[in-house]
Amino acid sequence: MEHRTVYFDNNATTPLHPGVKEALIEGLEIFGNPSSMHGFGREAREKIEEAREKVASFIGAEADEILFVGSGSEANNTVLSLLHCDSTRCFCALSGRSGLVTTVIEHPCVLNTARDLGRKNHAVTYLSVDKYGRIDLEELRRAVTDKVGMVSIMMANNEIGTIQDIKAAARIAHEGGALFHTDAVQAVGKIPVDVRDLDVDFLTISAHKLYGPKGIGALYVKKGSPYCPLILGGHQENGRRAGTENSLGIIGLGKAVELRALEMEEEEKRLLELKNILKDGIAKAIPDTLFMGHPEHCLPGTLSVSFVGAEGEAILLYLDLAGIAVSTGSACASGSLDPSHVIMATGVPVENAHGSVRISLGRENTLDDVQYMLHHLPPIIDRIRTMSTAYRRR
Amino acid sequence: MAKWTYSDKVKDHFMNPRNILREDNEADFHGIGLTGNIKCGDEMMVYIKVNPDKLTITDCKWRTYGCASAIASTSILSEMVIGMTLDQAYAITAKDILKELDGLPDNKVHCSVLGDKALRAAIDDYYGKNGMEDRIRTKGAKIVCECMQVTDEDIEHAVLDGVRSFSELQDMTKIGTGCGECHENAQSVMSEYIQKHFGL
Ligand SMILES: Cc1ncc(COP(=O)(O)O)c(C=O)c1O
Ligand code: FES
């Protein structure tokens, strides 16, 4: 089979959509400060507000409920920081409810912020997940005490693709008197998201996961929700996020969601079909594999799989030599010595976590890519197992 | 394509590993050493054949569960030791392996640490099977940290070298940097040696 490059790491980041690239190139001409009243400024302002409309309509929000931030990480940090607002500069105090409820499988930008809150004496509860990576709603109900100000639960997991029942979780949080935030970075652009239907108070979006540029995100803040800026300074974004707007990034994000609105439904259907071909092909060609993530409530293009006796970094690097890009939950590849906290949380044995690979498909992937993968992966696993201490053929 | 994380040497041994034990012919080998543990992400098994008259290594094969640097370091080690006397092979350190590999990224150094330990375990196994127990240097040493293969003797030496805190001990031996299960025991072993030698 002829050598090709196959990008199967779309949950890490996505290539720019050609339409976004075009919009960015045009946008490079726009340099005015959106806060300026003259023509240059007004032109930039207009583009930003257009983008805001697009993002809002994509998730069923009003334009003034969307604020632009520097990344998904910043959006998540901003929301959690409300818990230690002392109300000296705003009126967002959560009336003494300083506790946080989140999950053990959040992205590090939520988990590390939660740990930091814990160190500052906030009560933080980490909900566990079942073997598919789903939380238990009854556990959530018990966790939302009258000390809890915020519940933060990711909509879709970046490693295993599992999707939570956010609507039910938000209802439980509200019944307990807490605010509800969802990190929807992996969900928006892949599955339909409607903030009114879900009834969330805060929702995080990141452009580079939906074929937009890096370093730009959006935060949905439901009208009337308590809010307090993380970054203080000028009055940009209605005083909710200081710093001259990244107009180019915002233009890119606006274009990206506009294109997603047109293409998402068809494309994700196609990705799900491709993923199933890939999954069946792997299951048929390679013995002793374990598929992770929820069989049904899962992102269409995300496939998480572990191969007994084969270590993830070795798999990743052999695939890389064949031109295929994936990621792994192995400790060795992460730079730490711990395997993926997400996969460990689902209760799979630690050796499976070390041998896990995430294949995440995106809009540029084709059936040829899947076949190329199915051609290369089985011999690679076989080769690694041949030299492994941890695998014996049956 | 951008440069690889690893040296060309590592890449070469990763792409074309030498001396893998292919068949289940473990019985043909005179000494077998196992180190590491899959839970921690690396496990290595080294097999040696020994010329009983000259006490030289005539063949060395291996199996490894682990990342690219673990695979490459066992592969290169197997080439280094063939033809060596048991004494020479016993003296190989992680540093020697690192040098042969033209280095490894800092967070991968522990992979090479495992290789030389597996080799010494294989040599010890040979000694044990051939009535040369007196030559086993790790005899009596108890493993405290499975993941990093750190023994109570390693801890004693570290204490004698001036280590007084657990973080210093970790810097020196990498103890407890795998699954972490050994922390409590490791700390108490360290305290015992500090007490024993320095009465603190
Ligand atoms: C679930 C999830 N949340 C948050 C982030 C962080 O987004 P960003 O890279 O824009 O900071 C990511 C991306 O890595 C993610 O996958
Ligand atoms: S036993 Fe796993 S870190 Fe020591």
Side-chain angles (χ1 to χ4, degrees):
Chain A
M1 207 174 251
E2 210 171 308
H3 186 92
R4 58 194 285 143
T5 50
V6 175
Y7 185 72
F8 273 155
D9 202 10
N10 288 277
N11 284 14
T13 195
T14 52
L16 284 180
H17 190 298
V20 173
K21 199 187 241 174
E22 226 170 86
L24 287 174
I25 291 169
E26 263 177 48
L28 282 170
E29 301 296 331
I30 296 163
F31 72 92
N33 187 324
S35 297
S36 303
M37 291 176 70
H38 48 60
F40 297 90
R42 288 199 309 275
E43 190 187 12
R45 168 62 50 207
E46 198 176 285
K47 294 287 177 199
I48 288 176
E49 297 316 318
E50 264 174 34
R52 204 186 305 277
E53 292 281 350
K54 288 175 191 168
V55 174
S57 93
F58 190 52
I59 59 169
E62 302 283 326
D64 60 1
E65 293 175 310
I66 301 297
L67 69 128
F68 292 113
V69 294
S71 62
S73 299
E74 184 192 324
N76 290 341
N77 271 264
T78 304
V79 173
L80 297 199
S81 77
L82 295 185
L83 288 168
H84 52 65
C85 169
D86 57 8
S87 210
T88 47
R89 50 189 162 83
C90 62
F91 301 98
C92 83
L94 307 180
S95 39
R97 300 175 68 133
S98 69
L100 172 70
V101 175
T102 185
T103 80
V104 291
I105 60 163
E106 298 298 311
H107 188 271
C109 64
V110 170
L111 274 187
N112 286 332
T113 311
R115 283 195 198 111
D116 194 53
L117 284 168
R119 279 191 291 270
K120 291 170 181 152
N121 295 321
H122 293 256
V124 181
T125 306
Y126 300 90
L127 303 174
S128 61
V129 294
D130 64 16
K131 65 175 175 173
Y132 300 122
R134 281 198 127 198
I135 60 161
D136 173 0
L137 293 170
E138 285 314 306
E139 190 189 348
L140 170 63
R141 195 183 299 281
R142 286 192 298 275
V144 186
T145 64
D146 60 5
K147 298 279 183 297
V148 172
M150 178 89 64
V151 175
S152 177
I153 295 172
M154 73 195 321
M155 192 173 296
N157 183 266
N158 44 312
E159 292 188 37
I160 56 177
T162 297
I163 300 168
Q164 308 292 341
D165 186 348
I166 291 300
K167 189 172 174 173
R171 193 182 320 122
I172 291 168
H174 290 151
E175 282 164 9
L179 292 164
F180 190 86
H181 165 243
T182 183
D183 172 358
V185 164
Q186 291 291 346
V188 172
K190 299 192 181 92
I191 57 172
V193 172
D194 182 324
V195 291
R196 293 281 178 262
D197 176 53
L198 296 172
D199 193 24
V200 298
D201 302 292
F202 306 96
L203 179 142
T204 296
I205 298 174
S206 178
H208 74 101
K209 309 284 187 184
L210 41 93
Y211 313 104
K214 291 158 189 45
I216 183 75
L219 176 61
Y220 160 79
V221 182
K222 186 180 172 180
K223 212 168 288 181
S225 293
Y227 183 82
C228 179
L230 178 65
I231 298 181
L232 303 178
H235 50 263
Q236 293 90 353
E237 297 292 295
N238 278 329
R240 295 184 295 183
R241 199 269 188 182
T244 301
E245 293 88 339
N246 173 3
S247 33
L248 189 62
I250 293 170
I251 289 169
L253 172 54
K255 190 67 189 180
V257 295
E258 180 190 336
L259 291 164
R260 279 285 83 195
L262 298 174
E263 298 172 1
M264 181 174 84
E265 198 182 330
E266 282 294 301
E267 231 162 57
E268 296 299 318
K269 229 186 275 166
R270 191 179 66 87
L271 293 187
L272 179 61
E273 276 167 27
L274 288 183
K275 177 176 81 171
N276 287 335
I277 295 170
L278 186 57
K279 184 174 175 182
D280 293 346
I282 290 173
K284 216 176 275 164
I286 308 176
D288 301 309
T289 55
L290 176 71
F291 292 100
M292 289 162 295
H294 199 285
E296 193 184 326
H297 302 287
C298 184
L299 293 173
T302 304
L303 183 61
S304 172
V305 56
S306 151
F307 303 97
V308 175
E311 192 274 337
E313 193 213 62
I315 304 171
L316 184 153
L317 290 175
Y318 280 126
L319 283 172
D320 182 48
L321 291 167
I324 303 168
V326 299
S327 75
T328 168
S330 146
C332 261
S334 69
S336 82
L337 287 152
D338 301 317
S340 151
H341 69 284
V342 175
I343 293 173
M344 293 298 288
T346 63
V348 307
V350 51
E351 46 269 48
N352 283 93
H354 284 299
S356 68
V357 171
R358 178 188 69 190
I359 304 162
S360 47
L361 285 69
R363 58 180 296 280
E364 293 190 357
N365 291 130
T366 61
L367 183 59
D368 284 346
D369 291 345
V370 168
Q371 274 156 357
Y372 186 74
M373 178 71 161
L374 286 173
H375 175 78
H376 280 283
L377 185 62
I380 286 173
I381 300 300
D382 190 59
R383 189 166 171 206
I384 296 174
R385 284 175 170 173
T386 300
M387 54 180 145
S388 172
T389 55
Y391 194 75
R392 285 291 174 276
R393 260 158 254 283
R394 300 186 185 151
Chain B
M1 244 338 137
K3 249 183 67 188
W4 248 52
T5 328
Y6 296 113
S7 71
D8 291 345
K9 252 319 197 359
V10 175
K11 189 172 173 182
D12 177 36
H13 276 268
F14 176 62
M15 287 170 71
N16 310 293
R18 333 284 204 260
N19 299 317
I20 298 170
L21 183 80
R22 289 193 181 275
E23 310 295 321
D24 278 322
N25 57 350
E26 298 175 14
D28 297 348
F29 286 82
H30 308 131
I32 300 173
L34 174 69
T35 193
N37 130 16
I38 322 167
K39 285 205 170 96
C40 306
D42 293 287
E43 186 174 81
M44 295 178 182
M45 208 184 272
V46 169
Y47 299 73
I48 52 169
K49 280 185 189 167
V50 178
N51 176 327
D53 302 324
K54 299 192 196 140
L55 289 184
T56 52
I57 296 177
T58 59
D59 197 7
C60 176
K61 297 260 192 278
W62 57 273
R63 280 210 186 104
T64 283
Y65 172 89
C67 58
S69 40
I71 290 169
S73 53
T74 355
S75 171
I76 208 158
L77 177 71
S78 71
E79 284 194 329
M80 287 163 69
V81 301
I82 296 176
M84 278 189 178
T85 66
L86 291 178
D87 282 341
Q88 285 167 333
Y90 213 97
I92 290 178
T93 63
K95 267 209 194 95
D96 300 328
I97 300 173
L98 278 179
K99 211 165 97 199
E100 282 294 316
L101 287 173
D102 295 334
L104 283 175
D106 281 353
N107 61 338
K108 298 287 184 167
V109 169
H110 72 274
C111 300
S112 58
V113 177
L114 292 176
D116 64 308
K117 285 195 173 154
L119 173 65
R120 280 196 294 279
I123 297 173
D124 285 342
D125 182 48
Y126 174 80
Y127 288 151
K129 285 174 180 158
N130 291 278
M132 291 182 266
E133 283 88 351
D134 54 314
R135 304 185 60 140
I136 298 179
R137 265 176 261 167
T138 49
K139 199 176 78 178
K142 266 206 330 269
I143 289 182
V144 177
C145 174
E146 280 287 336
C147 296
M148 297 294 134
Q149 292 289 298
V150 183
T151 65
D152 53 358
E153 277 186 9
D154 295 331
I155 298 177
E156 182 168 20
H157 288 148
V159 167
L160 290 170
D161 281 345
V163 165
R164 289 294 176 275
S165 73
F166 191 60
S167 63
E168 287 169 353
L169 185 67
Q170 285 193 308
D171 283 346
M172 193 142 165
T173 62
K174 304 280 173 254
I175 194 165
T177 53
C179 70
E181 273 170 26
C182 60
H183 277 199
E184 214 173 300
N185 189 27
Q187 304 234 29
S188 81
V189 171
M190 184 183 75
S191 309
E192 275 169 34
Y193 284 121
I194 295 176
Q195 177 71 27
K196 173 176 162 193
H197 293 292
F198 303 94
L200 298 172

